[in-house]
Amino acid sequence: MKPEKVFKRYDIRGKYPEELDEEFADLLGKSLGTFVQRNYPKKVVVCRDNKESSKTLKKSFIKGLKSTGVEIIDIGSGPTDYAAFTGREKDTVSVQVTSSHLPLEFNGFKFMYPEGNGFLNPDLDSVKDRFRNREFSQGTGKVEQYPEALEEYKENLKLFARRLSENLDKKVVIDTLGGATDSLLAETLRAIGANVVDLGEEKEEKPYRDPPNPRPENLKELKAKVDETNADIGLATDMDGDRVTLYKDGFVDGNKVLAVFSQIFEGDVVASIDTSKSLEETTEEQVFYTRVGDPFVMDNAIEKDVELAGEPNGHYAFLNFVPYNSGTLAALILAGVDLERYLDKIPEHHSVRESYEVEDKKKRMEAVENRIKEEYKIVSRKDGLKVESPDVRALIRPSGSSPKIRVVTESKDRHKAEEEADNLEKIVRNP
């Protein structure tokens, strides 16, 4: 087992069982338990998604935790924000067994602080070091089953959403991809008055989509059902329920969804650096930009004391609920408001997103910077290079999870965005 292969920038993910198995989970439980013993109250909330491999991985992880003397609060299965919400309520570190939207052959783990936000790199590295060095505390922990947690989470979801609901009688088609929000999303939507068509209700096998990623190319059935039933909107969540995709007269870009939320919630907004300028042009408040990745976004959101934070990939967090992305709560809010009124106020921007494989991300980024600083104005080095020319903004950044350079270009003129993407492709490939 090589921890460097599965400890990623934001969490732990790998192919099951080749890279990550029950023995790995046991050692990881010991590693986290030791970290918790030395830094936090000696309790850990543990949850999982509904993949078959998550059951045995969770069992082994709990075994490892228990051997360090930590008390485990087992809350069963559900979305990741359910784990984060319960961890905050209990003032403990929380864990989710999941690989989120990756193909079903993968699995992994997410760690959240007692505040609810995801672990940052230094603490994830500390757990990795203990895993590598086999430096474990020893003790006799215990496991507490907490079946009431899910109902408490659902009630708080509904209370939060009802405060914002405009009592619209919407017909909503949902596709959970058979993931952790299966039945939960339909139940809570119906509780706030939506007329729900749930694609998952007719599926025997769960999860039923591979990869469980709510990208438009994986949501053809959702689109067809919305059109067939003349529904108002379609909503889809990923495997662990931390992303949401909106379909309304076509798939709505994640930047626009974040701009919708910025009109619903008062105050400043924290967003990842790859977010569209349309957010700045929609909200009257200040937008604070961070590195791409939800742990960095949430950490900054807590520091700035904002109520709304998000990324254009479908991650949206409402910090008065919990500082973690909640696809379920985002879906409930979108189903309860007049979307056309908010969407009409968002300026149109066109963006192009591309990724290019490279052998050495660091060296390639250095070469790219030397090349483009003569042609572009560099406005930020927060995460890669954010550059501007008169009509186009672009972000060139190394991927946090794969050997790739990612490029995003944006302009009010679609042709110029595409033209700039072509130009930057040449620079990235041959700096």
Side-chain angles (χ1 to χ4, degrees), residues 77-93:
S77 64
T80 302
D81 69 298
Y82 162 50
F85 176 87
T86 307
R88 190 175 74 164
E89 293 295 298
K90 293 291 186 180
D91 191 31
T92 67
V93 165

Side-chain angles (χ1 to χ4, degrees), residues 64-337:
L65 270 178
K66 189 178 176 184
S67 73
T68 67
V70 167
E71 179 181 334
I72 297 98
I73 303 173
D74 186 349
I75 62 171
S77 64
T80 302
D81 69 298
Y82 162 50
F85 176 87
T86 307
R88 190 175 74 164
E89 293 295 298
K90 293 291 186 180
D91 191 31
T92 67
V93 165
S94 57
V95 178
Q96 177 79 354
V97 183
T98 187
S99 56
S100 192
H101 58 283
L102 293 186
L104 297 179
E105 62 183 318
F106 286 78
N107 217 319
F109 297 83
K110 292 184 177 183
F111 300 152
M112 284 75 70
Y113 295 114
E115 293 81 6
N117 56 314
F119 270 31
L120 295 168
N121 294 148
D123 289 328
L124 202 55
D125 287 344
S126 180
V127 175
K128 180 170 68 173
D129 289 342
R130 285 175 170 79
F131 183 102
R132 182 187 290 117
N133 300 327
R134 303 295 196 265
E135 298 174 352
F136 306 136
S137 299
Q138 292 187 346
T140 304
K142 62 178 182 178
V143 180
E144 172 194 352
Q145 303 295 329
Y146 186 27
E148 302 89 353
L150 185 58
E151 286 304 317
E152 292 173 6
Y153 165 73
K154 289 192 289 190
E155 285 305 310
N156 278 275
L157 276 174
K158 291 181 281 190
L159 285 170
F160 196 104
R162 282 174 180 144
R163 286 197 295 267
L164 300 170
S165 176
E166 299 172 19
N167 297 315
L168 305 176
D169 184 20
K170 280 188 183 178
K171 188 171 191 177
V172 182
V173 176
I174 63 169
D175 189 353
T176 65
L177 314 184
T181 65
D182 183 60
S183 74
L184 166 69
L185 181 57
E187 177 187 339
T188 49
L189 279 168
R190 287 171 178 141
I192 66 167
N195 178 6
V196 179
V197 178
D198 182 1
L199 296 181
E201 287 180 341
E202 298 178 359
K203 313 285 186 183
E204 291 186 7
E205 187 175 341
K206 308 286 178 69
Y208 52 80
R209 197 87 72 225
D210 191 7
N213 186 346
R215 295 173 63 90
E217 58 265 30
N218 299 326
L219 300 176
K220 295 176 182 176
E221 187 179 358
L222 176 75
K223 176 184 182 300
K225 184 63 73 170
V226 170
D227 295 341
E228 174 195 327
T229 60
N230 198 29
D232 294 287
I233 61 171
L235 294 163
T237 52
D238 71 337
M239 184 72 219
D240 72 322
D242 71 343
R243 297 181 187 224
V244 69
T245 297
L246 170 66
Y247 182 86
K248 179 175 173 54
D249 303 320
F251 289 101
V252 180
D253 182 82
N255 288 293
K256 287 189 174 181
V257 175
L258 183 54
V260 166
F261 289 133
S262 76
Q263 298 173 68
I264 297 171
F265 293 90
E266 296 181 356
D268 298 336
V269 182
V270 168
S272 55
I273 193 74
D274 59 339
T275 301
S276 168
K277 194 174 183 178
S278 61
L279 177 61
E280 293 178 26
E281 296 176 354
T282 301
T283 180
E284 297 179 356
E285 308 295 340
Q286 187 170 354
V287 178
F288 297 101
Y289 292 105
T290 75
R291 293 169 64 186
V292 173
D294 61 273
F296 311 119
V297 175
M298 291 306 110
D299 185 58
N300 196 255
I302 291 172
E303 179 187 334
K304 299 294 185 185
D305 194 26
V306 301
E307 188 172 356
L308 172 67
E311 300 179 87
N313 62 2
H315 282 160
Y316 312 107
F318 314 97
L319 278 82
N320 285 347
F321 181 71
V322 68
Y324 199 89
N325 306 303
S326 177
T328 307
L329 183 52
L332 293 175
I333 295 168
L334 293 171
V337 299

